Amino acid sequence: MRILLCTGLCFFFTIITFAQKQINGRIMDGVSYLPDVSVTNLTSGLGTTSDAEGRYQIKANPKEELRFTYLGMDTVSILVEDVTRILNVTMNANVEELEEVTVAAKKRKTYQEKILDYHKNKNLIKTYFGFLDKETANFSLRIADEDDFKNAPTINSVIWGKFAGVRAVCDPMSDELVVSMRAIQSINNEATAVFDVDGQIMTKVYCSWLWGNVKRMAFIPSVSALSKYGTIGVGGVVVINTISGTDLPRENNGEIYDQARLRNNIYRDNALDGKVVFNNAPQYLKDLNSASDKGEAIAIYKKAAVKYSASYHFVLESYRYFHDIWKDIGFADNILEEHARLFNNNPVALKSLAYVLESQQRYKKAHETYKKVYILRPDYAQSFIDMAKSYRNLGEAKSATTLFARHAYLQKEGLLPKDTLDLSRIMKRELYNIFTLDNGSMQIENRKKYKYNEEFSSRLVFEWNDSEAEFDLQFVNPNNQYFNWKHTLTEMPERIRSEKELGYSMADFLLDDEFPGTWKINATYHGNKQLTPTYLKVTMYQNYGSKLQTKEVKVFRLGVKGVNRQLFTFPVTSNIVQSK
């Protein structure tokens, strides 16, 4: 044990010099790219500005802070990490209001507050990217509300009669609503519009779906406004808010909640299932899964490897495919060995690989992978946690407690920053669980101070490989009510900064016994400042803290942005409680 501790300390005190590296990216406001944004390295004092297309370059070391400032936008601050190469930044408008002669910053409204405004203001429409206001939009935005559709004989008659240049037809054979916009067609020929329905992008909607269920409908024919929708929006976008999708939650007496008491909404089964998500997967994955036999699958893999072999995501997904689908562990391992260079010095890639290996219960290989991350990141709290949990998987509880003791010692000596309340509680839960279930002959100094008297039947632990990842987790209880945990810079900037300073990327949620039944867990991915997916590991504990404790590990590839997708269901006898 003494050798283990010394080895770890040697890793920690090894002098690591980081060459200053170039950070590249583009800056936008959610609609268009921003020129002349001031980008400053607060540590070195270096500064630059973005060009006409929002591009910028600046040098920075890990742990240095980049600040992005632009008149009329909220300032964005981001800590650089060891793997940071690309930082694509989205800036939000800074709304200000005049109060006599004083300019006072107005707090950005929460989602709940915006929902309440929506029901009072007919100029608002809810889109995939948030709320748009007809009065303040810098492009043409035409809105029809519920009253326009109430007495109309057909859906298309409202559109034809109200908006010049917009044509709509309910196809009598297919029932499909087809909309075209003259302003867009002059540029994109006969391209037809796509639909943004209650925040989900669809290429088709049907008139029978909408009849009697339209709350608000808007038409966006502006080329500049459509840039955020990419190539699917070349024919214009029809934004549709349905009555069933925008209703306010109400009290038991039927009254709408007042603003101060707005609570969790009713879930309407609007998360995309796995089949729909897979339709948006990379083409190589769809090709592999279409193979009728292993020989055909190998041929597809080799052909795709010519194009994608520089991507660790391709390598990892190919490994998972041959391991999980065809059970050919030898061929799957050869894929990893042939592309080991893509993982060896990349802690983000290594973590995703370790997650997958752990989910497959290949604990020895996962342990070796976590060890590589620990060597690369000896000052990250997550490295200690991952190694400790990996030792437990191998049945080495004593080594696991040593990792936690080492972390506490380095903190005590001032060599690591102190944990936040959230991280400290997570680490205490892990350590207390070891003592509860593996309490044989283990000894640790001041063991009593680690006593942690929390007892819960179920626990969900979420970990992600990329610290830049932004996403929402949605928990739906058996009564079909949900709440969202929003891991975004907008919603929780202090927590995300703390995660980077301390070096952890995890959150846990404990369950008590108020709501028995099956929970649904969904996620909405917002990106990681690069055009790459993020890997999310979920450890699901049943009978947590008891001798009957069991766990299951699942790994999800988050790649499709901006849509709520189903992750898994979880049978429990409890109500979710967020760790704070």
Side-chain angles (χ1 to χ4, degrees):
M1 200 57 57
R2 199 173 288 172
I3 294 174
L4 179 64
L5 180 60
C6 291
T7 303
L9 289 173
C10 288
F11 284 146
F12 182 83
F13 290 111
T14 298
I15 298 175
I16 303 176
T17 58
F18 296 100
Q20 207 172 39
K21 57 186 178 181
Q22 196 87 351
I23 310 297
N24 303 277
R26 300 185 79 177
I27 308 168
M28 67 181 306
D29 62 2
V31 177
S32 56
Y33 292 107
L34 294 175
D36 301 320
V37 176
S38 176
V39 185
T40 306
N41 183 325
L42 297 184
T43 305
S44 68
L46 291 174
T48 187
T49 57
S50 58
D51 65 16
E53 296 181 335
R55 294 187 176 89
Y56 75 94
Q57 290 184 347
I58 193 168
K59 290 185 177 181
N61 290 319
K63 302 298 183 182
E64 292 183 345
E65 183 176 356
L66 298 182
R67 179 163 293 177
F68 302 79
T69 56
Y70 189 78
L71 183 64
M73 296 289 175
D74 285 339
T75 296
V76 177
S77 295
I78 298 174
L79 289 178
V80 173
E81 290 205 272
D82 50 1
V83 295
T84 304
R85 294 292 184 276
I86 298 173
L87 278 179
N88 295 318
V89 178
T90 299
M91 305 186 76
N92 296 312
N94 181 5
V95 181
E96 295 183 340
E97 59 180 12
L98 288 176
E99 210 172 283
E100 295 182 351
V101 294
T102 305
V103 178
K106 182 179 179 181
K107 179 183 177 183
R108 185 182 296 111
K109 291 185 177 181
T110 65
Y111 177 82
Q112 291 88 346
E113 291 171 331
K114 291 177 181 177
I115 280 286
L116 287 168
D117 286 348
Y118 171 88
H119 284 268
K120 300 173 186 176
N121 185 353
K122 293 184 178 181
N123 289 323
L124 294 179
I125 190 82
K126 182 184 176 184
T127 77
Y128 171 89
F129 297 96
F131 289 87
L132 289 178
D133 189 339
K134 176 182 177 181
E135 296 298 319
T136 59
N138 59 358
F139 52 85
S140 174
L141 182 63
R142 311 171 187 181
I143 299 178
D145 64 32
E146 189 174 0
D147 294 335
D148 296 311
F149 291 90
K150 278 183 179 178
N151 300 315
T154 61
I155 293 289
N156 53 309
S157 66
V158 176
I159 303 171
W160 273 78
K162 192 173 180 68
F163 303 109
V166 179
R167 299 177 59 194
V169 176
C170 282
D171 190 306
M173 299 298 293
S174 66
D175 191 39
E176 182 180 345
L177 177 63
V178 181
V179 178
S180 59
M181 302 182 193
R182 188 170 59 210
I184 291 294
Q185 285 185 328
S186 65
I187 301 173
N188 296 304
N189 299 320
E190 293 298 316
T192 57
V194 295
F195 303 88
D196 181 338
V197 183
D198 293 334
Q200 294 189 32
I201 308 300
M202 300 180 177
T203 56
K204 294 182 180 180
V205 300
Y206 299 94
C207 294
S208 58
W209 292 0
L210 301 176
W211 186 244
N213 194 30
V214 177
K215 177 75 175 179
R216 217 161 281 174
M217 188 181 292
F219 305 86
I220 307 178
S222 168
V223 175
S224 61
L226 296 172
S227 61
K228 67 176 80 174
Y229 287 92
T231 56
I232 63 171
V234 296
V237 175
V238 181
V239 183
I240 302 172
N241 295 170
T242 64
I243 294 173
S244 59
T246 56
D247 195 17
L248 277 174
R250 298 174 182 269
E251 299 278 12
N252 292 334
N253 62 8
E255 293 295 321
I256 294 175
Y257 289 152
D258 64 52
Q259 188 165 343
R261 301 177 58 222
L262 190 65
R263 304 171 195 170
N264 296 333
N265 290 327
I266 300 299
Y267 177 63
R268 302 184 185 282
D269 286 316
N270 57 356
L272 301 184
D273 61 24
K275 183 178 180 180
V276 176
V277 173
F278 185 76
N279 288 337
N280 292 279
Q283 188 60 45
Y284 65 79
L285 269 181
K286 291 189 279 190
D287 291 342
L288 283 173
N289 280 272
S290 69
S292 57
D293 57 56
K294 188 169 70 173
E296 182 184 359
I298 291 174
I300 291 172
Y301 160 73
K302 290 182 177 179
K303 181 178 179 180
V306 176
K307 182 177 180 180
Y308 298 107
S309 61
S311 165
Y312 82 80
H313 307 98
F314 165 75
V315 173
L316 184 57
E317 292 304 322
S318 298
Y319 162 80
R320 293 177 79 179
Y321 171 78
F322 284 100
H323 182 282
D324 297 347
I325 303 300
W326 296 107
K327 312 300 181 185
D328 191 335
I329 298 176
F331 187 80
D333 284 347
N334 282 338
I335 291 176
L336 293 180
E337 291 171 8
E338 290 173 0
H339 301 89
R341 70 188 187 283
L342 300 178
F343 295 87
N344 284 339
N345 294 308
N346 186 338
V348 172
L350 286 167
K351 284 176 70 174
S352 62
L353 174 58
Y355 292 170
V356 170
L357 292 168
E358 187 178 352
S359 71
Q360 297 168 340
Q361 299 185 21
R362 303 188 72 182
Y363 294 134
K364 288 185 178 180
K365 282 187 171 292
H367 184 74
E368 292 303 312
T369 308
Y370 281 126
K371 187 183 295 184
K372 291 177 181 178
V373 179
Y374 178 80
I375 294 171
L376 292 171
R377 290 179 164 177
D379 57 341
Y380 276 52
Q382 193 70 50
S383 298
F384 289 86
I385 296 171
D386 290 342
M387 282 292 289
K389 292 168 70 174
S390 184
Y391 273 122
R392 283 196 80 183
N393 288 336
L394 296 175
E396 300 181 30
K398 291 183 180 179
S399 297
T401 59
T402 299
L403 263 297
F404 286 118
R406 181 184 309 157
H407 187 266
Y409 169 79
L410 293 173
Q411 284 185 321
K412 182 179 178 181
E413 296 298 314
L415 299 173
L416 286 178
K418 295 292 184 181
D419 292 343
T420 62
L421 180 62
D422 183 59
L423 178 58
S424 177
R425 183 175 287 127
I426 290 174
M427 298 186 83
K428 284 183 178 179
R429 283 180 188 139
E430 296 287 349
L431 188 55
Y432 179 66
N433 192 255
I434 295 174
F435 290 149
T436 302
L437 303 184
D438 304 293
N439 57 4
S441 59
M442 292 188 305
Q443 299 293 326
I444 188 170
E445 184 182 359
N446 297 324
R447 174 172 167 173
K448 288 183 179 180
K449 74 178 182 180
Y450 291 99
K451 190 173 182 182
Y452 203 64
N453 293 316
E454 285 189 316
E455 295 181 5
F456 293 88
S457 61
S458 301
R459 182 186 183 214
L460 298 178
V461 181
F462 295 84
E463 301 170 70
W464 47 97
N465 71 318
D466 192 330
S467 62
E468 296 291 354
E470 297 186 63
F471 53 88
D472 302 342
L473 295 177
Q474 184 180 65
F475 301 86
V476 185
N477 71 23
N479 291 343
N480 229 30
Q481 294 176 308
Y482 74 85
F483 79 86
N484 290 334
W485 187 76
K486 297 177 178 291
H487 185 263
T488 66
L489 271 174
T490 300
E491 296 291 334
M492 49 175 62
E494 294 83 6
R495 179 191 165 101
I496 291 178
R497 183 181 182 87
S498 173
E499 289 173 357
K500 289 191 173 185
E501 290 175 340
L502 298 175
Y504 75 104
S505 51
M506 67 183 301
D508 73 337
F509 299 84
L510 304 177
L511 311 175
D512 61 30
D513 57 0
E514 290 186 14
F515 285 101
T518 299
W519 286 72
K520 301 172 184 176
I521 314 299
N522 306 321
T524 302
Y525 182 51
H526 301 299
N528 57 12
K529 300 182 177 60
Q530 303 179 61
L531 299 177
T532 57
T534 292
Y535 286 88
L536 180 72
K537 182 181 84 169
V538 186
T539 307
M540 297 169 283
Y541 292 95
Q542 296 280 12
N543 302 307
Y544 184 72
S546 78
K547 295 294 183 181
L548 299 176
Q549 176 177 306
T550 60
K551 74 172 184 179
E552 181 182 5
V553 175
K554 292 182 179 290
V555 179
F556 300 93
R557 179 185 181 275
L558 303 182
V560 182
K561 295 197 292 185
V563 296
N564 194 24
R565 58 169 288 189
Q566 299 173 8
L567 292 183
F568 59 94
T569 57
F570 190 50
V572 298
T573 57
S574 49
N575 173 35
I576 197 139
V577 177
Q578 180 187 339
S579 77
K580 296 182 179 179

